[in-house]
Amino acid sequence: MALRTHPDSSWGWMVVLAGFVQTALVFGVIRSFGVFFVEFVAHFKESTSTVSWALSLGVAVLQFASPMGSALSARYGARPVVMAGGLLASLGLLLASFSVKISHLYLSIGLISGFGWALVFTPSTAAVSDYFQKRRALAMGLAVSGAGISSLVFSPLFQLLADSYGWRGALLVVSAMSLNLVVSAALLRPLTGEGDGQPDVQAQDSKWRQTLASLFALELLRQGRFLRYVLAFVLVDAGYFVPYAHLVAHAREEGCDEYQAAFIMAAAAVADMFGRIWAGWLADTAVFCRLVHHLTLWTVLTGVSLALVPLGHGFTALVSLGLCYGFFAGALVPLQFASLAEIVGADSVLGGIGLMHMLESVGALVGTPLSGWLRDITGNYTASFLTAGAFLLAGSAILLTLPDYFSCSRPSQTKAETLTGPPDHQAFELRGLPQHDRV
């Protein structure tokens, strides 16, 4: 007979541990991949823009396929889906170590690992949310903090592995590390009710249909305010991920050695963690009228910090700029989904998140290769970071055009929630999409 587990039980903290490991081995690897980027450019003798597509594809597939991971989790449970995702993520990195053409990296890291990461992230996040009611925010914060802590460790570790074993050997080690996604998935014990402890098949099928119905909220495409909000984040994503691939390479060109360059990215990751905490606290103090005002502030500051990166010459200056970027970019994260309720109304947030997540993957797909192409034609990363900053500033400008932006009252559309009731938190958990985190 299955063991009974309930919300707020002690086993929930084991689920938090699993979520911590999983965010560490997904986003920590993505954020630290700039170390391998330098090695790929040197080995394959390809342009910067060509190599940039490998990581860009991985991030885009992660975003685009996230609703699929949520739907599969709703039907089959988080444990088998995350296990399958961990195997795919590890397999992609394993195959990447045998690459003889750059196109092999696109397939292995971009498609296989990217899809595996999508199957890991959303179901594991949903499991953490599902296990907690009283301390859900704390549990979610602890789970997603794995991304920041692992980024601090992985950047210098990956550089050490590349120096010791070459990039192929280093990818083999990272592939083996990713198998811990499978081990941690075993901790995602499904919740059971008060009955015989067996899952209710009819209820699961009902949840499956409910999840599928909410995956593609196409009716939101007729809402101008939602389209503008999505367009803003397509532009934001076009610049947001550029440092993940190119900040290490830029630091190397500015005279930093391998470990100094890796440390800059690690410092940005630590600042990212503090930025998320600070932004959440500041939003709770209601310094500005609405969440979207806080979101605009952090988007502008992130864009400015990226545009200032070319002014950093030498290790000290680049560390300072990396800390600024990390703090501001981290502060932006928890407000993106929370602000969406002000745009479409609480009753439409569920479908809006999934649709927005897929559409904004276009920005993540295009931004990094464009940055690499600018480096190829100019000979340095100045134009790349200026353009990345401009994308975020353009996104913040679009936020200013939202209806009733300069009013302290929420848009009239969102007032419908007083009639329809609070948002369906259980549906959020089914989708694996937390209400306040982007990672």
Side-chain angles (χ1 to χ4, degrees):
M1 186 176 68
L3 293 175
R4 290 184 180 180
T5 49
H6 308 281
D8 296 307
S9 66
S10 58
W11 189 261
W13 297 110
M14 299 303 294
V15 176
V16 169
L17 175 61
F20 179 92
V21 172
Q22 288 151 6
T23 55
L25 290 174
V26 173
F27 290 98
V29 169
I30 290 173
R31 290 180 175 188
S32 305
F33 224 77
V35 171
F36 293 115
F37 175 83
V38 176
E39 303 292 335
F40 294 156
V41 171
H43 178 82
F44 291 105
K45 310 298 182 185
E46 296 282 358
S47 65
T48 305
S49 59
T50 300
V51 175
S52 298
W53 280 103
L55 182 60
S56 185
L57 275 170
V59 173
V61 170
L62 187 161
Q63 291 182 318
F64 192 82
S66 287
M68 185 179 298
S70 303
L72 291 172
S73 178
R75 181 63 180 88
Y76 301 107
R79 180 185 286 171
V81 173
V82 175
M83 283 183 170
L87 288 174
L88 285 174
S90 177
L91 176 63
L93 293 167
L94 173 66
L95 294 176
S97 69
F98 296 99
S99 297
V100 294
K101 296 181 181 179
I102 195 66
S103 58
H104 296 163
L105 292 179
Y106 299 163
L107 176 62
S108 57
I109 295 174
L111 297 181
I112 299 177
S113 287
F115 186 65
W117 291 332
L119 294 184
V120 168
F121 174 62
T122 48
S124 62
T125 305
V128 173
S129 181
D130 201 27
Y131 256 90
F132 288 87
Q133 293 176 352
K134 297 177 182 177
R135 290 175 285 186
R136 179 176 291 161
L138 173 62
M140 191 69 68
L142 291 172
V144 300
S145 67
I149 295 175
S150 63
S151 300
L152 172 64
V153 176
F154 284 176
S155 288
L157 173 62
F158 289 0
Q159 186 62 61
L160 177 63
L161 291 173
D163 289 344
S164 302
Y165 306 111
W167 65 267
R168 295 185 187 276
L171 282 177
L172 286 174
V173 175
V174 177
S175 173
M177 291 169 55
S178 294
L179 288 175
N180 285 288
L181 291 168
V182 180
V183 178
S184 62
L187 297 174
L188 302 180
R189 179 188 298 169
L191 287 167
T192 57
E194 295 294 338
D196 59 3
Q198 299 301 317
D200 186 337
V201 175
Q202 184 176 0
Q204 282 191 348
D205 288 341
S206 175
K207 289 180 179 181
W208 170 250
R209 290 191 296 272
Q210 176 189 6
T211 303
L212 287 178
S214 65
L215 283 179
F216 303 99
L218 298 182
E219 68 277 1
L220 291 177
L221 294 178
R222 294 178 292 181
Q223 296 184 13
R225 70 180 68 189
F226 175 74
L227 291 177
R228 273 182 264 180
Y229 194 74
V230 169
L231 177 59
F233 278 96
V234 170
L235 293 171
V236 166
D237 278 17
Y240 187 92
F241 295 103
V242 166
Y244 291 1
H246 295 155
L247 184 56
V248 170
H250 172 67
R252 294 280 294 274
E253 290 187 355
E254 290 296 326
C256 298
D257 64 33
E258 295 90 337
Y259 291 96
Q260 286 178 327
F263 179 81
I264 292 170
M265 201 66 227
V270 174
D272 177 284
M273 286 191 298
F274 286 103
R276 296 182 189 212
I277 297 170
W278 175 262
W281 174 84
L282 189 65
D284 287 341
T285 63
V287 173
F288 299 114
C289 298
R290 291 164 51 199
L291 290 176
V292 72
H293 298 153
H294 289 263
L295 176 63
T296 306
L297 169 67
W298 297 118
T299 304
V300 168
L301 291 175
T302 305
V304 170
S305 67
L306 280 176
L308 292 177
V309 167
L311 298 180
H313 302 291
F315 175 68
T316 302
L318 286 172
V319 167
S320 300
L321 289 167
L323 287 170
C324 289
Y325 162 75
F327 186 87
F328 299 146
L332 185 159
V333 169
L335 296 172
Q336 179 187 359
F337 293 137
S339 298
L340 186 61
E342 295 184 354
I343 307 302
V344 301
D347 55 329
S348 299
V349 170
L350 177 61
I353 287 180
L355 189 58
M356 179 177 66
H357 222 17
M358 288 189 291
L359 293 176
E360 70 175 312
S361 65
V362 175
L365 179 64
V366 173
T368 304
L370 174 62
S371 174
W373 176 75
L374 290 172
R375 192 269 174 220
D376 291 335
I377 65 174
T378 62
N380 57 56
Y381 284 100
T382 298
S384 301
F385 283 101
L386 287 174
T387 302
F391 275 127
L392 275 99
L393 294 175
S396 64
I398 291 177
L399 292 176
L400 297 177
T401 70
L402 292 171
D404 303 319
Y405 178 86
F406 294 99
S407 169
C408 284
S409 344
R410 298 176 66 189
S412 57
Q413 178 181 347
T414 68
K415 294 177 182 177
E417 68 181 270
T418 59
L419 301 176
T420 60
D424 186 352
H425 294 292
Q426 185 181 29
F428 266 98
E429 294 157 12
L430 278 174
R431 286 286 306 278
L433 295 167
Q435 299 176 60
H436 59 280
D437 194 83
R438 179 177 176 215
V439 185

